[in-house]
Short mmCIF file of all heavy atoms in Angstrom, two decimals:
data_model
loop_
_atom_site.label_atom_id
_atom_site.label_comp_id
_atom_site.label_asym_id
_atom_site.label_seq_id
_atom_site.Cartn_x
_atom_site.Cartn_y
_atom_site.Cartn_z
N ALA S 1 17.11 7.94 -7.12
CA ALA S 1 17.18 6.59 -6.55
C ALA S 1 17.13 5.54 -7.66
O ALA S 1 17.44 5.84 -8.82
CB ALA S 1 16.03 6.40 -5.55
N GLY S 2 16.71 4.33 -7.33
CA GLY S 2 16.77 3.22 -8.28
C GLY S 2 15.66 3.15 -9.30
O GLY S 2 15.72 2.33 -10.22
N GLY S 3 14.64 4.01 -9.18
CA GLY S 3 13.54 3.99 -10.13
C GLY S 3 12.63 2.78 -9.95
O GLY S 3 12.84 1.94 -9.07
N ILE S 4 11.61 2.69 -10.81
CA ILE S 4 10.64 1.60 -10.73
C ILE S 4 10.82 0.67 -11.93
O ILE S 4 10.64 1.08 -13.07
CB ILE S 4 9.19 2.13 -10.70
CG1 ILE S 4 9.01 3.13 -9.55
CG2 ILE S 4 8.20 0.97 -10.58
CD1 ILE S 4 7.67 3.85 -9.57
N ALA S 5 11.19 -0.56 -11.66
CA ALA S 5 11.42 -1.53 -12.74
C ALA S 5 10.10 -2.07 -13.27
O ALA S 5 9.06 -1.97 -12.61
CB ALA S 5 12.27 -2.68 -12.22
N ASP S 6 10.13 -2.66 -14.46
CA ASP S 6 8.92 -3.19 -15.08
C ASP S 6 8.19 -4.19 -14.17
O ASP S 6 6.96 -4.21 -14.13
CB ASP S 6 9.26 -3.88 -16.41
CG ASP S 6 9.32 -2.90 -17.57
OD1 ASP S 6 8.92 -1.73 -17.38
OD2 ASP S 6 9.74 -3.29 -18.66
N LYS S 7 8.95 -4.99 -13.44
CA LYS S 7 8.31 -6.02 -12.60
C LYS S 7 7.49 -5.41 -11.47
O LYS S 7 6.59 -6.07 -10.92
CB LYS S 7 9.37 -6.97 -12.03
CG LYS S 7 10.35 -6.32 -11.07
CD LYS S 7 11.40 -7.32 -10.60
CE LYS S 7 12.40 -6.69 -9.63
NZ LYS S 7 11.77 -6.27 -8.37
N ASP S 8 7.75 -4.16 -11.12
CA ASP S 8 7.01 -3.48 -10.05
C ASP S 8 6.10 -2.37 -10.57
O ASP S 8 5.40 -1.73 -9.79
CB ASP S 8 7.99 -2.87 -9.04
CG ASP S 8 8.88 -3.92 -8.41
OD1 ASP S 8 8.35 -4.96 -7.99
OD2 ASP S 8 10.11 -3.69 -8.33
N TRP S 9 6.11 -2.14 -11.86
CA TRP S 9 5.46 -0.99 -12.48
C TRP S 9 3.95 -0.97 -12.23
O TRP S 9 3.39 0.02 -11.79
CB TRP S 9 5.78 -1.00 -13.97
CG TRP S 9 5.30 0.13 -14.82
CD1 TRP S 9 4.73 -0.02 -16.05
CD2 TRP S 9 5.38 1.54 -14.60
NE1 TRP S 9 4.45 1.21 -16.60
CE2 TRP S 9 4.84 2.18 -15.72
CE3 TRP S 9 5.85 2.32 -13.54
CZ2 TRP S 9 4.74 3.56 -15.84
CZ3 TRP S 9 5.76 3.71 -13.64
CH2 TRP S 9 5.21 4.31 -14.78
N GLU S 10 3.27 -2.06 -12.51
CA GLU S 10 1.82 -2.07 -12.34
C GLU S 10 1.41 -1.99 -10.88
O GLU S 10 0.47 -1.29 -10.53
CB GLU S 10 1.21 -3.31 -13.00
CG GLU S 10 -0.32 -3.26 -13.03
CD GLU S 10 -0.93 -4.19 -14.04
OE1 GLU S 10 -0.57 -4.11 -15.23
OE2 GLU S 10 -1.76 -5.02 -13.62
N ARG S 11 2.14 -2.70 -10.01
CA ARG S 11 1.83 -2.62 -8.58
C ARG S 11 2.02 -1.21 -8.05
O ARG S 11 1.34 -0.79 -7.12
CB ARG S 11 2.70 -3.61 -7.79
CG ARG S 11 2.20 -5.04 -7.84
CD ARG S 11 3.07 -5.94 -6.96
NE ARG S 11 4.45 -5.98 -7.44
CZ ARG S 11 4.87 -6.76 -8.42
NH1 ARG S 11 4.02 -7.55 -9.04
NH2 ARG S 11 6.13 -6.75 -8.80
N ALA S 12 2.95 -0.48 -8.63
CA ALA S 12 3.22 0.88 -8.16
C ALA S 12 2.06 1.82 -8.44
O ALA S 12 1.86 2.79 -7.72
CB ALA S 12 4.49 1.41 -8.81
N LEU S 13 1.28 1.54 -9.49
CA LEU S 13 0.24 2.46 -9.91
C LEU S 13 -1.17 2.01 -9.59
O LEU S 13 -2.10 2.82 -9.63
CB LEU S 13 0.35 2.74 -11.42
CG LEU S 13 1.63 3.46 -11.85
CD1 LEU S 13 1.60 3.73 -13.34
CD2 LEU S 13 1.82 4.76 -11.08
N LYS S 14 -1.37 0.75 -9.30
CA LYS S 14 -2.71 0.27 -8.99
C LYS S 14 -2.93 0.32 -7.49
O LYS S 14 -2.23 -0.33 -6.72
CB LYS S 14 -2.91 -1.16 -9.49
CG LYS S 14 -4.34 -1.66 -9.27
CD LYS S 14 -4.54 -3.05 -9.83
CE LYS S 14 -5.98 -3.51 -9.59
NZ LYS S 14 -6.22 -4.87 -10.10
N ALA S 15 -3.92 1.09 -7.06
CA ALA S 15 -4.20 1.22 -5.64
C ALA S 15 -4.64 -0.13 -5.08
O ALA S 15 -5.33 -0.90 -5.74
CB ALA S 15 -5.30 2.26 -5.40
N ALA S 16 -4.22 -0.40 -3.85
CA ALA S 16 -4.53 -1.63 -3.13
C ALA S 16 -3.74 -2.83 -3.64
O ALA S 16 -4.03 -3.96 -3.30
CB ALA S 16 -6.02 -1.95 -3.16
N ALA S 17 -2.72 -2.58 -4.48
CA ALA S 17 -1.85 -3.66 -4.93
C ALA S 17 -0.57 -3.60 -4.13
O ALA S 17 0.17 -2.62 -4.17
CB ALA S 17 -1.55 -3.51 -6.41
N LYS S 18 -0.27 -4.64 -3.37
CA LYS S 18 0.90 -4.64 -2.49
C LYS S 18 2.17 -4.97 -3.26
O LYS S 18 2.13 -5.66 -4.27
CB LYS S 18 0.71 -5.65 -1.36
CG LYS S 18 -0.43 -5.29 -0.41
CD LYS S 18 -0.50 -6.28 0.73
CE LYS S 18 -1.61 -5.90 1.70
NZ LYS S 18 -1.68 -6.85 2.84
N PRO S 19 3.32 -4.48 -2.78
CA PRO S 19 4.59 -4.81 -3.43
C PRO S 19 4.90 -6.29 -3.30
O PRO S 19 4.40 -6.96 -2.42
CB PRO S 19 5.62 -3.95 -2.68
CG PRO S 19 4.98 -3.64 -1.37
CD PRO S 19 3.51 -3.59 -1.62
N ASN S 20 5.74 -6.80 -4.20
CA ASN S 20 6.11 -8.22 -4.22
C ASN S 20 6.76 -8.66 -2.92
O ASN S 20 6.40 -9.65 -2.33
CB ASN S 20 7.10 -8.47 -5.37
CG ASN S 20 6.43 -9.21 -6.51
OD1 ASN S 20 5.32 -9.69 -6.36
ND2 ASN S 20 7.10 -9.27 -7.64
N ILE S 21 7.78 -7.91 -2.49
CA ILE S 21 8.55 -8.29 -1.31
C ILE S 21 8.04 -7.50 -0.11
O ILE S 21 8.11 -6.28 -0.09
CB ILE S 21 10.05 -8.01 -1.52
CG1 ILE S 21 10.56 -8.81 -2.72
CG2 ILE S 21 10.84 -8.36 -0.28
CD1 ILE S 21 11.97 -8.47 -3.12
N GLN S 22 7.50 -8.18 0.86
CA GLN S 22 6.93 -7.51 2.02
C GLN S 22 7.79 -7.79 3.24
O GLN S 22 7.71 -8.85 3.84
CB GLN S 22 5.51 -8.02 2.26
CG GLN S 22 4.64 -7.86 1.04
CD GLN S 22 3.47 -6.95 1.29
OE1 GLN S 22 3.20 -6.54 2.41
NE2 GLN S 22 2.79 -6.62 0.25
N LYS S 23 8.64 -6.87 3.55
CA LYS S 23 9.49 -7.03 4.72
C LYS S 23 8.93 -6.18 5.85
O LYS S 23 8.56 -5.03 5.65
CB LYS S 23 10.92 -6.59 4.40
CG LYS S 23 11.61 -7.47 3.37
CD LYS S 23 13.02 -6.98 3.10
CE LYS S 23 13.73 -7.84 2.08
NZ LYS S 23 15.08 -7.34 1.77
N LYS S 24 8.88 -6.74 7.03
CA LYS S 24 8.40 -5.99 8.18
C LYS S 24 9.30 -4.79 8.39
O LYS S 24 10.51 -4.91 8.44
CB LYS S 24 8.39 -6.88 9.42
CG LYS S 24 7.68 -6.23 10.61
CD LYS S 24 7.57 -7.19 11.75
CE LYS S 24 6.82 -6.54 12.91
NZ LYS S 24 6.69 -7.46 14.07
N GLY S 25 8.66 -3.60 8.47
CA GLY S 25 9.44 -2.40 8.66
C GLY S 25 9.81 -1.72 7.36
O GLY S 25 10.38 -0.63 7.36
N SER S 26 9.49 -2.34 6.23
CA SER S 26 9.75 -1.71 4.93
C SER S 26 8.92 -0.43 4.83
O SER S 26 7.76 -0.39 5.24
CB SER S 26 9.37 -2.67 3.80
OG SER S 26 9.42 -2.01 2.56
N LEU S 27 9.50 0.62 4.27
CA LEU S 27 8.80 1.90 4.22
C LEU S 27 7.55 1.85 3.37
O LEU S 27 6.61 2.61 3.59
CB LEU S 27 9.76 2.98 3.70
CG LEU S 27 10.91 3.33 4.63
CD1 LEU S 27 11.87 4.30 3.96
CD2 LEU S 27 10.38 3.94 5.92
N ASN S 28 7.53 0.99 2.34
CA ASN S 28 6.33 0.87 1.51
C ASN S 28 5.68 -0.50 1.70
O ASN S 28 5.23 -1.13 0.77
CB ASN S 28 6.64 1.13 0.04
CG ASN S 28 7.77 0.27 -0.48
OD1 ASN S 28 8.26 -0.62 0.22
ND2 ASN S 28 8.18 0.51 -1.71
N GLU S 29 5.62 -0.92 2.94
CA GLU S 29 5.14 -2.25 3.29
C GLU S 29 3.75 -2.56 2.75
O GLU S 29 3.46 -3.68 2.36
CB GLU S 29 5.15 -2.39 4.82
CG GLU S 29 4.72 -3.76 5.32
CD GLU S 29 4.80 -3.85 6.83
OE1 GLU S 29 5.25 -2.88 7.47
OE2 GLU S 29 4.42 -4.91 7.36
N PHE S 30 2.87 -1.56 2.74
CA PHE S 30 1.49 -1.83 2.36
C PHE S 30 1.15 -1.43 0.93
O PHE S 30 0.04 -1.63 0.46
CB PHE S 30 0.55 -1.11 3.34
CG PHE S 30 0.77 -1.55 4.75
CD1 PHE S 30 1.43 -0.72 5.65
CD2 PHE S 30 0.38 -2.80 5.17
CE1 PHE S 30 1.66 -1.14 6.94
CE2 PHE S 30 0.61 -3.23 6.47
CZ PHE S 30 1.25 -2.40 7.36
N GLY S 31 2.11 -0.85 0.20
CA GLY S 31 1.92 -0.58 -1.21
C GLY S 31 0.89 0.48 -1.54
O GLY S 31 0.32 0.50 -2.62
N MET S 32 0.56 1.36 -0.60
CA MET S 32 -0.49 2.34 -0.82
C MET S 32 0.00 3.78 -0.83
O MET S 32 -0.65 4.66 -1.36
CB MET S 32 -1.55 2.21 0.29
CG MET S 32 -2.39 0.95 0.18
SD MET S 32 -3.44 0.93 -1.29
CE MET S 32 -4.60 2.22 -0.85
N GLY S 33 1.16 4.05 -0.24
CA GLY S 33 1.59 5.42 0.04
C GLY S 33 1.55 6.39 -1.11
O GLY S 33 0.88 7.42 -1.05
N MET S 34 2.28 6.10 -2.20
CA MET S 34 2.38 7.05 -3.30
C MET S 34 1.03 7.34 -3.93
O MET S 34 0.69 8.50 -4.19
CB MET S 34 3.33 6.50 -4.38
CG MET S 34 3.45 7.39 -5.59
SD MET S 34 4.57 6.75 -6.85
CE MET S 34 3.59 5.38 -7.50
N LYS S 35 0.22 6.31 -4.15
CA LYS S 35 -1.06 6.50 -4.81
C LYS S 35 -2.03 7.29 -3.93
O LYS S 35 -2.70 8.20 -4.39
CB LYS S 35 -1.64 5.13 -5.17
CG LYS S 35 -0.84 4.42 -6.25
CD LYS S 35 -0.93 2.91 -6.17
CE LYS S 35 -0.15 2.35 -5.01
NZ LYS S 35 0.05 0.90 -5.07
N CYS S 36 -2.09 6.93 -2.65
CA CYS S 36 -2.97 7.65 -1.73
C CYS S 36 -2.59 9.12 -1.64
O CYS S 36 -3.43 10.01 -1.73
CB CYS S 36 -2.89 7.03 -0.33
SG CYS S 36 -3.63 5.39 -0.21
N ALA S 37 -1.30 9.37 -1.47
CA ALA S 37 -0.82 10.74 -1.31
C ALA S 37 -1.04 11.56 -2.58
O ALA S 37 -1.44 12.73 -2.52
CB ALA S 37 0.66 10.74 -0.95
N ALA S 38 -0.79 10.95 -3.74
CA ALA S 38 -0.95 11.67 -5.01
C ALA S 38 -2.39 12.11 -5.21
O ALA S 38 -2.66 13.27 -5.54
CB ALA S 38 -0.48 10.80 -6.17
N TYR S 39 -3.32 11.19 -5.01
CA TYR S 39 -4.73 11.54 -5.22
C TYR S 39 -5.29 12.41 -4.10
O TYR S 39 -6.31 13.07 -4.28
CB TYR S 39 -5.57 10.27 -5.38
CG TYR S 39 -5.38 9.60 -6.72
CD1 TYR S 39 -4.90 8.30 -6.82
CD2 TYR S 39 -5.67 10.28 -7.90
CE1 TYR S 39 -4.72 7.69 -8.05
CE2 TYR S 39 -5.49 9.68 -9.14
CZ TYR S 39 -5.02 8.38 -9.20
OH TYR S 39 -4.83 7.79 -10.43
N TRP S 40 -4.65 12.41 -2.94
CA TRP S 40 -5.06 13.34 -1.89
C TRP S 40 -4.72 14.77 -2.29
O TRP S 40 -5.51 15.68 -2.09
CB TRP S 40 -4.35 12.98 -0.58
CG TRP S 40 -4.75 13.85 0.59
CD1 TRP S 40 -5.87 13.73 1.35
CD2 TRP S 40 -4.04 14.99 1.10
NE1 TRP S 40 -5.90 14.71 2.33
CE2 TRP S 40 -4.79 15.49 2.19
CE3 TRP S 40 -2.84 15.61 0.76
CZ2 TRP S 40 -4.37 16.59 2.93
CZ3 TRP S 40 -2.42 16.72 1.50
CH2 TRP S 40 -3.18 17.19 2.57
N PHE S 41 -3.55 14.94 -2.90
CA PHE S 41 -3.14 16.27 -3.36
C PHE S 41 -3.91 16.71 -4.60
O PHE S 41 -4.30 17.87 -4.73
CB PHE S 41 -1.65 16.30 -3.69
CG PHE S 41 -0.76 16.64 -2.54
CD1 PHE S 41 0.10 15.68 -2.01
CD2 PHE S 41 -0.77 17.90 -1.96
CE1 PHE S 41 0.94 15.99 -0.95
CE2 PHE S 41 0.06 18.22 -0.89
CZ PHE S 41 0.91 17.26 -0.38
N SER S 42 -4.10 15.81 -5.54
CA SER S 42 -4.61 16.22 -6.85
C SER S 42 -5.32 15.07 -7.56
O SER S 42 -4.94 13.90 -7.41
CB SER S 42 -3.44 16.71 -7.71
OG SER S 42 -3.87 16.97 -9.02
N ARG S 43 -6.29 15.42 -8.38
CA ARG S 43 -6.99 14.40 -9.17
C ARG S 43 -6.22 14.09 -10.45
O ARG S 43 -6.54 13.15 -11.17
CB ARG S 43 -8.41 14.86 -9.50
CG ARG S 43 -9.27 15.09 -8.26
CD ARG S 43 -10.67 15.53 -8.60
NE ARG S 43 -11.51 14.44 -9.06
CZ ARG S 43 -12.18 13.61 -8.27
NH1 ARG S 43 -12.09 13.72 -6.96
NH2 ARG S 43 -12.92 12.65 -8.78
N LYS S 44 -5.20 14.92 -10.76
CA LYS S 44 -4.37 14.68 -11.95
C LYS S 44 -2.90 14.73 -11.56
O LYS S 44 -2.45 15.69 -10.93
CB LYS S 44 -4.64 15.75 -13.02
CG LYS S 44 -6.03 15.69 -13.62
CD LYS S 44 -6.20 16.74 -14.71
CE LYS S 44 -7.58 16.67 -15.34
NZ LYS S 44 -7.76 17.68 -16.42
N TRP S 45 -2.17 13.68 -11.91
CA TRP S 45 -0.74 13.66 -11.62
C TRP S 45 -0.03 12.79 -12.65
O TRP S 45 -0.66 12.06 -13.40
CB TRP S 45 -0.47 13.18 -10.20
CG TRP S 45 -0.92 11.80 -9.86
CD1 TRP S 45 -2.22 11.39 -9.67
CD2 TRP S 45 -0.11 10.65 -9.63
NE1 TRP S 45 -2.26 10.06 -9.34
CE2 TRP S 45 -0.99 9.56 -9.31
CE3 TRP S 45 1.26 10.41 -9.64
CZ2 TRP S 45 -0.52 8.28 -9.02
CZ3 TRP S 45 1.73 9.13 -9.35
CH2 TRP S 45 0.84 8.09 -9.05
N ALA S 46 1.28 12.94 -12.69
CA ALA S 46 2.08 12.19 -13.67
C ALA S 46 3.30 11.62 -12.99
O ALA S 46 3.81 12.18 -12.01
CB ALA S 46 2.50 13.10 -14.81
#
């Protein structure tokens, strides 16, 4: 896919940090999914 640009990089990795553009119905509307899921599976990830 399109990857994560620098402008979204820190928000992508900091838990509880919402994405810049919040559209109703956006799949990552709350900015928590990847981080929550990663740490649920494992304490170490890359």
Side-chain angles (χ1 to χ4, degrees):
I4 305 172
D6 275 350
K7 65 182 180 65
D8 300 314
W9 183 224
E10 188 161 305
R11 280 184 297 278
L13 295 183
K14 184 178 180 181
K18 294 184 179 181
N20 253 350
I21 301 172
Q22 305 242 352
K23 294 180 180 178
K24 189 174 182 180
S26 171
L27 292 174
N28 53 6
E29 182 178 357
F30 302 105
M32 289 294 291
M34 178 180 72
K35 292 152 287 193
C36 291
Y39 286 120
W40 182 81
F41 271 113
S42 173
R43 299 180 77 85
K44 293 182 179 181
W45 61 288

